[in-house]
Amino acid sequence: DLFSNVLAIFVQGLLGVAVFSLLILKWRWERPRRLFRVWVFDALKQAISAGFQHACNVAIASIARSEGGQGDEECGWYMISFTVDAVMGTALSLLMLKYALEPLARKFQWKPLMESGDYGQPDNINVKWWAIQLSSWVIINIVARIFCGILVYNLHNPLYPFVKWLTGIFHGNGVAYLLTSMIGTPTVLNIIQLIIQDTVLKKNENESSEENLEEEILVSMETNTNTSVDRLPLVEVSDSESKL
């Protein structure tokens, strides 16, 4: 079986290391930079959801190949399912998060889901909030991948000539086909996918900074007002003036 092959497992592990390194570099360069512990929780959210995404892609590729074709065409179907996942699946997931889940959370005051990446920092990280966000993000990803699977399944016949042509190009070069479909294409698409997801999933520090600035301005204005009142000069009133 292609996906139980030792080489396939190795290249998938190599891809995971490369992608994780990318997230570290992105964190090092970002301004303002998240606290390291906050970044760890954000990265774990992506890593765990990526495992579910990969499982969905393998399942979609296997189902698509089972509809007709040869075993060595599974690499081609995986490449197609991964491309659909990275483009359509990512877009659907982020749209559901930002325009469905978070607005509902704000409406019904579900605090752990009101803003992705908000785990109660900077004072402390509420692990329960993170677990709730992780669970909701995984569910959103699975729902989005179901739509992707339905699309690939229904487009099986139109896509099959392309898969057959792609498999023909790598005829006799199974290792090259495996590396292209399992590490070449996924690496390029994962870089784009993870940068976009990390940017959207992390807490918007700019908005938080603006809110803190507004609060500081209001506090400063109140303090200045109170100080001005306290500093008003006292006027002594003589006995004759008081009788008037």
Side-chain angles (χ1 to χ4, degrees):
D1 186 15
L2 172 64
F3 294 99
S4 63
N5 188 283
V6 175
L7 181 59
I9 296 174
F10 171 76
V11 295
Q12 286 294 310
L14 188 63
L15 176 60
V17 172
V19 169
F20 187 75
S21 301
L22 172 69
L23 288 178
I24 295 177
L25 289 175
K26 182 180 180 298
W27 171 72
R28 293 286 298 176
W29 293 335
E30 71 181 14
R31 294 292 183 276
R33 185 188 299 170
R34 286 165 284 179
L35 296 175
F36 179 73
R37 61 179 180 272
V38 175
W39 173 83
V40 169
F41 278 83
D42 286 341
L44 280 174
K45 188 190 297 182
Q46 287 224 64
I48 295 172
S49 63
F52 284 92
Q53 293 171 20
H54 173 68
C56 289
N57 289 334
V58 173
I60 293 170
S62 300
I63 293 172
R65 184 182 63 83
S66 67
E67 287 299 302
Q70 301 174 0
D72 56 356
E73 292 172 353
E74 193 166 1
C75 283
W77 284 115
Y78 181 82
M79 193 182 300
I80 288 176
S81 66
F82 195 97
T83 303
V84 173
D85 165 83
V87 178
M88 180 180 173
T90 302
L92 284 175
S93 296
L94 296 178
L95 286 173
M96 284 190 284
L97 175 69
K98 290 298 180 181
Y99 295 99
L101 180 62
E102 289 188 356
L104 283 174
R106 287 190 289 268
K107 180 178 180 180
F108 294 102
Q109 291 298 302
W110 301 332
K111 290 185 178 181
L113 297 175
M114 289 175 64
E115 183 180 6
S116 177
D118 183 2
Y119 314 124
Q121 72 265 26
D123 297 331
N124 67 303
I125 292 180
N126 192 323
V127 178
K128 184 178 178 180
W129 282 28
W130 174 81
I132 292 173
Q133 289 188 26
L134 171 64
S135 301
S136 63
W137 178 240
V138 168
I139 292 172
I140 285 174
N141 273 269
I142 292 175
V143 172
R145 271 63 193 184
I146 290 174
F147 280 104
C148 293
I150 293 173
L151 178 65
V152 173
Y153 181 82
N154 289 321
L155 293 179
H156 176 273
N157 292 334
L159 290 173
Y160 181 68
F162 173 75
V163 173
K164 191 174 182 179
W165 170 79
L166 191 63
T167 304
I169 292 177
F170 291 96
H171 180 71
N173 296 292
V175 174
Y177 196 13
L178 178 66
L179 293 176
T180 301
S181 62
M182 298 289 287
I183 197 170
T185 303
T187 298
V188 175
L189 294 176
N190 259 326
I191 290 173
I192 301 172
Q193 180 185 32
L194 288 175
I195 289 175
I196 294 174
Q197 286 187 166
D198 186 65
T199 302
V200 176
L201 290 176
K202 72 184 183 71
K203 184 178 180 180
N204 192 333
E205 295 295 342
N206 292 329
E207 289 184 0
S208 300
S209 299
E210 291 176 1
E211 292 176 358
N212 293 334
L213 180 60
E214 290 177 359
E215 291 179 1
E216 290 177 2
I217 292 174
L218 290 174
V219 171
S220 177
M221 290 175 63
E222 291 177 359
T223 303
N224 292 334
T225 302
N226 294 333
T227 303
S228 299
V229 171
D230 293 338
R231 291 179 178 178
L232 286 175
L234 297 176
V235 179
E236 295 183 358
V237 180
S238 64
D239 293 338
S240 59
E241 289 176 339
S242 62
K243 291 179 180 179
L244 294 176

